[in-house]
Amino acid sequence: MQWIRRSKVHGTSILVAVLLAAATSAFADVSLSKHARWVEHNIAISSSANFQLIDRFVRSTVSQANLDAESIEAIVLYLDNREYEMAFEGLFLELISSGKTLKLNTNECMTFALQLKLDKASVFDHQFWSKFEKYLQDIQNKPIP
């Protein structure tokens, strides 16, 4: 049986074929089930529909954040090149450093960041995850004007 999963490596989709074979039915049931769930999970995370949601979220947030032209240009360039992790991280680093507080759905922000695996690795700032969590916590507790 052939399973296909898409993974992201520095923003570039790589199609990886994973071949699973089972020698016994007992082994097959446990092993295949475990691998099938893992593959389905990774396909769901990497689906273009999820990236389209992230793309729309980042573009929408950039438009309401009133960032400087250079930051906007860089974030949009990352999006246009399907570097969603870099665009998302760059956007939030700009929001954090500028002190701008936007009305954002913090659950949605967290979901997108986890889908992009920014809790595991970041590109621009090795402390991104702790800064990101603090920023989300701050905007939850701060009234938006």
Side-chain angles (χ1 to χ4, degrees):
M1 179 175 283
Q2 184 179 25
W3 293 95
I4 296 175
R5 116 182 126 81
R6 294 191 185 277
S7 62
K8 297 285 287 169
V9 176
H10 299 291
T12 304
S13 291
I14 298 174
L15 189 59
V16 180
V18 180
L19 300 174
L20 300 174
T24 66
S25 63
F27 175 76
D29 289 344
V30 172
S31 181
L32 187 58
S33 175
K34 182 179 177 181
H35 288 288
R37 284 193 308 273
W38 179 83
V39 170
E40 286 173 354
H41 172 74
N42 282 298
I43 288 172
I45 287 174
S46 298
S47 75
S48 63
N50 284 338
F51 286 128
Q52 287 174 359
L53 290 173
I54 293 168
D55 186 287
R56 274 187 261 151
F57 169 81
V58 171
R59 288 181 196 275
S60 170
T61 305
V62 164
S63 69
Q64 67 177 335
N66 195 27
L67 300 174
D68 63 271
E70 185 179 7
S71 297
I72 293 169
E73 184 179 339
I75 292 167
V76 170
L77 180 64
Y78 292 135
L79 288 173
D80 291 345
N81 287 293
R82 297 182 179 177
E83 300 281 0
Y84 302 108
E85 299 89 346
M86 295 170 76
F88 190 93
E89 182 182 351
L91 168 63
F92 276 93
L93 288 173
E94 286 297 320
L95 293 174
I96 292 164
S97 68
S98 69
K100 294 182 188 233
T101 306
L102 302 177
K103 185 176 175 111
L104 298 172
N105 179 332
T106 56
N107 289 331
E108 183 179 50
C109 294
M110 183 61 74
T111 299
F112 291 152
L114 289 170
Q115 287 176 342
L116 294 168
K117 297 182 171 85
L118 290 169
D119 58 324
K120 307 242 184 282
S122 59
V123 176
F124 303 116
D125 185 339
H126 70 280
Q127 294 180 333
F128 171 75
W129 192 252
S130 60
K131 291 177 181 179
F132 175 71
E133 286 182 312
K134 183 180 180 330
Y135 179 79
L136 293 184
Q137 193 173 47
D138 289 349
I139 65 172
Q140 272 187 319
N141 297 328
K142 191 183 222 181
I144 308 295

